[in-house]
């Protein structure tokens, strides 16, 4: 979704006051139709803005900030009087906001108190802060793959070779998954805890992290032996804050896992697979409010897709639940496993909402005040975003920019690369000699290379740019075309790189450059479109500003 952050306009997302103030207690600084901005309302918000931004106060900045507040009043009035606020998608967005506020409150009051930090925990953390660890790891997306890696390590396969096979990140692949040195607070808690418990050279069992699983091996440790009681006492509060920050995500994950098990969630894999195949169309249909009927299977009202202790969802009910997902949650769904995880998350969310209703959290004054505050922020953010998204840039303007900037839109240079990796230096020297004698690179790669990803293809990786080549990018130069470079000493072994050919950088066609040009021009176009929209509303509003009062307001910026 397109977003545009105006320097002053969107700062209100965290600066809106909690409640409306009693206008009779303050002088009126500005009237905006039947709304007013009081001296106190402006002074409180503007003082906070000055403190946080570090901008020097002057009359010009005061005027701009007041105009921003006037724009807020105008936009909120427009949202209310135009019927925009009554749109189903807006209602759904505000309902989602209210739900999230309640969920946050539920976890804060009923889950986080379970997080206990003992004196022993604090001293252990202080001790860990005196230890630096050098470790490497191999990442796996799921437990099954992690167990497979561990078994292969147990059978004697090398860490470097498996890192090369399983990592898609070329840097970690070539350096054997080496993470370098880290200490307390640098890594995810579960990863860090496992690493600190390992002896030098020891390899862990699969360790569950937020992103998947890791197999960890500690290579070295550096210990500062000086543990000073006064230093511990001075650091104690900070250590406790750091530990809480570390352990909250772990606690949340554990509690949601417990809920998932207690709910006994079962998915109809057949229908979930079919939904995944149509997921892009479902998402588009939910966004436009026009879900194509062919997406729903025949007898969708009776076909179950999700079962749990809380009941059964058919396809239509599941799609309705999917409509509650935020954009960032949709973006995480890349595989069928991601979709299943998201569905289970929605079942857990439903259970939490039932607990919220039983505890009558929505009726609490603190929740109502919080919702009223953030409701205005959500309305303003969503409305401004919509105004921005309606802006279009004519094709002729895009073409003009392309023609006026002939040096800006170029494809990178691409190199046709082959690779060969061997474990020891003796074999590397022998292969180097064979290459000099004229033996084909492809023949040696098929016979000797440890790199499964390219071995069967004679070591061929294909056409790569420097950015895609990662750790070997420094060797990619036109003058190296036709050469074989190596052996290069890597942590995974000895590497040979053959650069067969290259394609020089060339200018993109207009069609190829168009999306990039749109991104460049969109900011100015959105700013202009927003300004025009607000100015039309301002021209119909009766706006008055007490300029003398604006100039004389004293601030509290301490």
């Amino acid at each position: 979704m397109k977003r545009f952050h105006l320097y002053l306009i969107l700062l209100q997302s965290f600066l809106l006051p909690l409640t409306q103030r009693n206008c009779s207690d303050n002088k009126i600084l500005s009237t905006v139709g039947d709304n007013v901005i009081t001296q106190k309302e402006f002074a409180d918000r503007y003082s906070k803005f000055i403190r946080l931004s570090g901008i020097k106060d002057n009359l010009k900045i005061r005027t701009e900030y007041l105009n921003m507040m006037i724009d807020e009043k105008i936009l909120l009035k427009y949202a209310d009087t135009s019927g925009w606020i009554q749109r189903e998608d807006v209602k759904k967005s505000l309902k989602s906001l209210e739900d999230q506020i309640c969920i946050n409150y539920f976890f804060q009051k009923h889950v986080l108190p379970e997080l206990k930090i003992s004196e022993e925990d604090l001293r252990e953390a202080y001790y860990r802060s005196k230890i630096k660890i050098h470790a490497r790891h191999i990442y796996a997306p799921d437990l099954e793959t992690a167990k497979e890696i561990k078994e292969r390590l147990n059978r004697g396969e090398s860490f470097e070779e498996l890192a090369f096979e399983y990592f898609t990140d070329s840097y970690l692949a070539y350096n054997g998954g080496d993470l370098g040195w880290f200490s307390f607070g640098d890594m995810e808690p579960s990863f860090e805890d496992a690493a600190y418990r390992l002896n030098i050279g020891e390899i862990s069992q699969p360790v569950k992290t937020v992103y998947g699983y890791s197999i960890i091996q500690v290579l070295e440790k550096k210990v500062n032996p000086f543990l000073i009681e006064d230093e511990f006492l001075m650091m104690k509060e900070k250590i406790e804050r750091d530990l809480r920050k570390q352990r909250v995500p772990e606690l949340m994950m554990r509690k949601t896992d417990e809920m998932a098990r207690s709910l006994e969630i079962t998915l109809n894999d057949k229908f979930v697979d079919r939904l995944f195949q149509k997921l892009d169309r479902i998402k588009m249909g939910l966004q436009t409010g026009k879900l194509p009927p062919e997406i729903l299977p025949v007898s969708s009202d009776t076909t179950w897709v999700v079962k749990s202790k809380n009941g059964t969802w058919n396809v239509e009910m599941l799609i309705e639940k999917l409509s509650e997902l935020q954009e960032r949650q949709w973006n995480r769904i890349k595989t069928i496993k991601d979709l299943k995880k998201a569905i289970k998350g929605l079942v857990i969310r439903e259970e939490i909402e039932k607990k919220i209703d039983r505890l009558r959290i929505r009726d609490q004054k603190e929740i109502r005040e919080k919702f009223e505050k953030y409701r205005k922020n959500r309305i303003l953010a969503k409305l401004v975003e919509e105004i921005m998204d309606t802006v279009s840039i004519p094709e002729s303007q895009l073409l003009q920019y392309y023609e006026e900037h002939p040096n800006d839109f170029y494809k990178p240079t691409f190199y046709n690369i082959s690779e060969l990796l061997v474990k020891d230096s003796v074999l590397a020297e022998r292969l180097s000699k064979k290459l000099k004698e004229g033996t084909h690179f492809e023949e040696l790669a098929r016979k000797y290379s440890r790199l499964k990803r390219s071995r069967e293809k004679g070591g061929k990786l294909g056409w790569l740019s420097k950015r895609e080549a990662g750790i070997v990018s420094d060797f990619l130069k036109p003058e190296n075309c036709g050469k074989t470079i190596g052996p290069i000493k890597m942590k995974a072994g000895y590497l040979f790189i053959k650069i067969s050919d290259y394609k020089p950088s060339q200018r993109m066609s207009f069609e190829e450059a168009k999306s990039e040009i749109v991104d460049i021009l969109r900011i100015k176009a959105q700013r202009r479109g927003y300004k025009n929209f607000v100015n039309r509303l301002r021209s119909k509003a009766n706006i008055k500003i007490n300029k003398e009062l604006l100039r004389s307001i004293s601030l509290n910026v301490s």
Side-chain angles (χ1 to χ4, degrees):
M1 190 177 288
K2 304 168 194 157
R3 294 187 182 275
F4 173 71
H5 303 284
L6 291 174
Y7 179 65
L8 289 174
I9 293 169
L10 290 185
L11 279 168
Q12 78 276 4
S13 63
F14 61 89
L15 292 177
L16 277 173
L18 186 62
T19 56
Q20 293 292 329
R21 294 189 166 58
N22 187 336
C23 299
S24 62
D25 294 340
N26 301 284
K27 293 181 180 178
I28 293 175
L29 176 60
S30 175
T31 58
V32 187
D34 54 0
N35 288 304
V36 299
I37 299 172
T38 66
Q39 172 185 343
K40 182 168 177 31
E41 183 182 354
F42 173 82
D44 287 351
R45 286 184 57 186
Y46 181 69
S47 296
K48 188 173 182 181
F49 166 70
I50 292 296
R51 283 198 308 274
L52 293 175
S53 67
I55 293 175
K56 188 175 180 180
D57 171 45
N58 58 52
L59 184 58
K60 181 176 180 294
I61 298 297
R62 289 188 180 203
T63 303
E64 288 178 356
Y65 197 87
L66 177 59
N67 275 309
M68 179 202 74
M69 293 178 68
I70 290 170
D71 290 346
E72 287 176 7
K73 299 284 187 186
I74 289 173
L75 288 170
L76 289 170
K77 180 78 171 178
Y78 168 81
D80 187 48
T81 58
S82 67
W84 183 90
I85 198 75
Q86 298 302 321
R87 277 177 18 192
E88 284 305 313
D89 62 315
V90 177
K91 287 181 180 179
K92 191 171 286 187
S93 177
L94 294 176
K95 175 66 167 59
S96 174
L97 171 65
E98 182 184 30
D99 290 344
Q100 194 57 56
I101 289 171
C102 292
I103 289 170
N104 291 348
Y105 181 88
F106 171 79
F107 274 101
Q108 184 180 7
K109 298 294 184 182
H110 299 278
V111 176
L112 293 188
E114 294 182 23
L115 183 59
K116 308 295 184 185
I117 307 292
S118 67
E119 180 76 8
E120 184 181 352
D121 292 331
L122 295 172
R123 290 189 177 277
E124 173 65 17
Y126 172 64
Y127 173 67
R128 287 183 178 183
S129 73
K130 297 292 185 177
I131 301 173
K132 290 187 180 297
I133 289 179
H134 178 200
R136 59 185 178 180
H137 84 126
I138 303 174
Y139 165 80
D142 53 62
L143 182 57
E144 183 182 349
T145 306
K147 286 180 176 178
E148 175 188 298
I149 294 169
K150 177 62 175 173
E151 287 171 6
R152 291 177 66 179
L153 287 167
N154 290 343
R155 290 198 299 266
E157 294 191 53
S158 76
F159 210 96
E160 293 87 350
E161 185 171 340
L162 293 176
F164 227 116
E165 181 177 338
Y166 286 96
F167 273 116
T168 54
D169 181 290
S170 62
Y171 180 81
L172 286 170
Y174 278 118
N175 76 0
D178 197 318
L179 295 167
W181 292 89
F182 60 87
S183 187
F184 167 71
D186 292 336
M187 308 297 283
E188 189 180 329
S190 57
F191 188 103
E192 179 184 292
D193 191 56
Y196 272 98
R197 292 177 188 278
L198 293 172
N199 296 317
I200 294 174
E202 188 179 358
I203 297 175
S204 74
Q205 295 296 324
V207 177
K208 192 176 191 310
T209 68
V210 172
Y211 301 104
Y213 290 82
S214 283
I215 308 292
I216 308 164
Q217 183 181 36
V218 170
L219 302 173
E220 302 173 82
K221 288 186 179 182
K222 291 179 182 176
V223 181
N224 178 348
F226 298 105
L227 303 176
I228 305 168
E229 184 67 16
D230 285 349
E231 183 183 37
F232 168 69
L233 295 173
M234 287 176 62
M235 294 176 63
K236 194 172 180 179
E237 285 188 12
K238 181 182 184 304
I239 291 172
E240 183 169 0
R241 286 197 304 272
D242 291 343
L243 275 178
R244 287 190 179 279
K245 186 177 178 181
Q246 268 193 349
R247 292 183 179 182
V248 164
E250 200 173 50
L251 173 64
M252 302 279 269
M253 188 164 62
R254 189 172 72 250
K255 295 301 289 186
T256 52
D257 286 347
E258 286 174 8
M259 283 188 199
R261 285 193 296 271
S262 68
L263 288 167
E264 298 178 2
I265 303 168
T266 304
L267 303 183
N268 185 329
D269 289 339
K270 176 183 174 182
F271 279 97
V272 174
D273 289 348
R274 286 169 62 178
L275 285 174
F276 180 72
Q277 293 167 13
K278 302 174 183 179
L279 198 61
D280 288 340
R281 294 173 65 200
I282 291 173
K283 180 184 176 184
M284 186 176 296
L286 290 172
Q287 289 175 338
T288 60
K290 298 177 181 178
L291 198 66
E294 64 271 17
I295 285 178
L296 299 175
V298 178
S299 303
S300 62
D301 56 332
T302 58
T303 302
W304 74 271
V305 185
V306 185
K307 285 183 179 178
S308 74
K309 282 189 173 180
N310 281 339
T312 301
W313 295 351
N314 61 23
V315 180
E316 289 180 339
M317 292 168 69
L318 173 57
I319 290 176
E320 177 62 27
K321 291 290 183 180
L322 288 172
S323 71
E324 298 174 6
L325 293 178
Q326 301 295 316
E327 183 70 16
R328 57 185 168 76
Q329 294 170 314
W330 277 107
N331 292 338
R332 291 188 194 132
I333 303 175
K334 307 293 185 185
T335 66
I336 187 69
K337 287 183 179 179
D338 295 334
L339 176 58
K340 290 178 179 180
K341 184 177 179 181
I343 292 171
K344 289 178 180 179
L346 289 169
V347 178
I348 293 167
R349 182 184 177 105
E350 183 183 65
E351 171 65 12
I352 293 170
E353 288 174 351
K354 287 185 176 182
K355 291 177 184 290
I356 286 168
D357 290 341
R358 286 197 293 270
L359 295 167
R360 302 183 65 85
I361 288 174
R362 296 178 195 277
D363 299 331
Q364 296 185 24
K365 183 182 177 184
E366 179 183 348
I367 296 299
R368 301 319 306 165
E369 287 178 342
K370 223 172 225 185
F371 175 63
E372 183 57 30
K373 171 187 175 181
Y374 291 112
R375 175 181 176 275
K376 294 175 182 176
N377 294 335
R378 177 66 64 89
I379 290 170
L380 287 167
K382 187 172 177 61
L383 181 53
V384 169
E385 182 180 300
E386 282 191 17
I387 296 166
M388 302 298 186
D389 285 349
T390 59
V391 172
S392 61
I393 306 169
E395 184 94 355
S396 58
Q397 190 176 341
L398 299 175
L399 182 59
Q400 180 182 349
Y401 189 91
Y402 174 76
E403 291 172 345
E404 289 176 352
H405 297 79
N407 299 320
D408 288 2
F409 304 102
Y410 272 80
K411 299 176 185 177
T413 300
F414 284 91
Y415 297 85
N416 194 2
I417 305 170
S418 299
E419 62 180 356
L420 190 165
L421 183 79
V422 295
K423 187 172 184 178
D424 62 82
S425 60
V426 175
L427 179 57
E429 288 303 322
R430 186 152 60 89
L431 295 186
S432 181
K433 186 177 179 181
K434 282 180 175 290
L435 288 166
K436 289 174 182 176
E437 290 171 350
T439 306
H440 290 299
F441 189 98
E442 292 76 11
E443 179 185 335
L444 296 176
R446 285 193 181 95
K447 187 173 181 179
Y448 296 103
S449 183
R450 304 172 66 206
L451 304 174
K452 291 185 179 179
R453 67 182 183 180
S454 59
R455 185 170 60 210
E456 292 181 1
K457 297 182 290 184
K460 291 181 180 177
L461 284 175
W463 293 94
L464 299 176
S465 67
K466 277 197 167 193
R467 183 180 60 81
E468 296 167 322
I471 202 168
V472 299
S473 61
D474 288 345
F475 300 105
L476 302 187
K477 301 173 184 177
E479 57 266 32
N480 286 337
C481 185
K483 296 180 182 178
T484 296
I485 299 165
I488 306 162
K489 180 70 174 74
M490 315 287 288
K491 290 198 174 179
Y494 293 83
L495 180 70
F496 293 87
I497 295 290
K498 179 184 175 184
I499 304 171
S500 304
D501 197 1
Y502 81 101
K503 295 176 183 177
S505 174
Q506 55 183 312
R507 194 179 187 215
M508 296 179 186
S509 67
F510 171 64
E511 287 301 319
E512 290 170 328
K514 187 187 289 186
S515 62
E516 193 174 332
I517 298 170
V518 168
D519 289 340
I520 293 169
L521 297 183
R522 183 187 291 127
I523 294 176
K524 288 183 179 179
Q526 288 179 326
R527 183 184 292 118
R528 187 167 53 250
Y530 174 84
K531 186 176 180 181
N532 290 340
F533 183 90
V534 173
N535 282 344
R536 285 196 298 273
L537 296 180
R538 288 179 75 111
S539 68
K540 300 173 186 176
N542 183 17
I543 301 169
K544 294 179 181 178
I545 297 173
N546 186 333
K547 294 182 180 179
E548 288 302 317
L549 181 57
L550 178 64
R551 184 179 288 107
S552 64
I553 289 174
S554 59
L555 304 177
N556 177 19
V557 293
S558 57

